[in-house]
Amino acid sequence: MTRTQDIPLLKKQIAEIARLCWERGYIGAIDGNISARLEDGTFLITPAGTIKFLIQPENVVHCDANGRPMDGGRASSETAMHVACYHERKDVRAVVHAHPPTAVAFSLAGISLMTAVIPELVVTLGAIPTAPYGTPGTEELPNSLRDLIRCSDAVLMERHGAITLGVDLLDAYKKMEQIEHNAKITFMARQLGQVKELAPEEVRRLLATRDSLGIKTTNVLCNHCGNPMAKGG
Ligand SMILES: [Zn+2]
């Protein structure tokens, strides 16, 4: 777990990841929020209402475990989602929430990414479940996520965005990039024709390679048990 003396470094990394998300188009203007948890259960999070490419390390807000700012500043309006992630997952040390446009478009169209179509994604991330719609800025949003984040590091949020959980900031960011990259590939494939899912036996073979590749992910293909792959597996 991150030590409290690492706070300046973590604040710098949060500002860098915020800028990266903005540059890559995963966040527009003031959307999204990024946090990292310290060993004492408190966490650092991006401030409310700031354009993500302008965030400086000193703007990052230090919150207690319940999301209340400890040293002033105004924490992100979606801080409750981060509290829910850290509450549900003791192993998680960083959370990235963004609005990756292709992935969000899938949720607007009502098309699930909870399918096994790209082998690399099956191995590294599993499938991406979608949390039901919750009104932003209310308790509905964190509550809509709780079930899914217990068994998934990457969740799409209906009509809103995506949230990724990681062992550190780069790990959580990496999963956000994977969500959008794979949504783009799936989108393009759907323009070209029908997208076929991998056969259940191939999915089993792919999942069996995780151990030898040293991939430790919470995501499986039976998240929320609404996935047809669960029946195959
Ligand atoms: Zn959001």
Side-chain angles (χ1 to χ4, degrees), residues 31-33 78 81 97-99 141 157 160-161:
D31 294 343
N33 22 80
E78 286 169 334
M81 288 193 315
H97 165 57
H99 298 178
L141 209 54
M157 301 155 70
H160 183 162

Side-chain angles (χ1 to χ4, degrees), residues 67-135:
R68 284 185 286 264
M70 297 163 66
D71 309 315
R74 204 156 63 89
S76 163
S77 60
E78 286 169 334
T79 296
M81 288 193 315
H82 296 250
V83 172
C85 290
Y86 294 133
H87 184 254
E88 299 296 338
R89 292 279 301 279
K90 300 301 173 206
D91 58 317
V92 163
R93 298 178 205 177
V95 174
V96 171
H97 165 57
H99 298 178
T102 317
V104 174
F106 270 90
S107 101
L108 290 173
I111 301 167
S112 172
L113 292 176
M114 195 64 191
T115 48
V117 290
I118 300 173
E120 291 81 4
L121 191 70
V122 171
V123 174
T124 57
L125 203 56
I128 301 162
T130 302
Y133 179 75
T135 305

Side-chain angles (χ1 to χ4, degrees), residues 95-177:
V95 174
V96 171
H97 165 57
H99 298 178
T102 317
V104 174
F106 270 90
S107 101
L108 290 173
I111 301 167
S112 172
L113 292 176
M114 195 64 191
T115 48
V117 290
I118 300 173
E120 291 81 4
L121 191 70
V122 171
V123 174
T124 57
L125 203 56
I128 301 162
T130 302
Y133 179 75
T135 305
T138 72
E139 276 301 309
E140 276 180 26
L141 209 54
N143 289 339
S144 74
L145 290 169
R146 284 183 191 278
D147 272 0
L148 292 171
I149 53 182
R150 283 184 200 124
C151 59
S152 181
D153 293 341
V155 173
L156 195 57
M157 301 155 70
E158 188 182 338
R159 295 181 178 274
H160 183 162
I163 193 159
T164 52
L165 291 66
V167 295
D168 56 33
L169 281 160
L170 204 56
D171 186 42
Y173 167 79
K174 179 186 74 183
K175 289 165 186 164
M176 187 60 69
E177 188 165 313

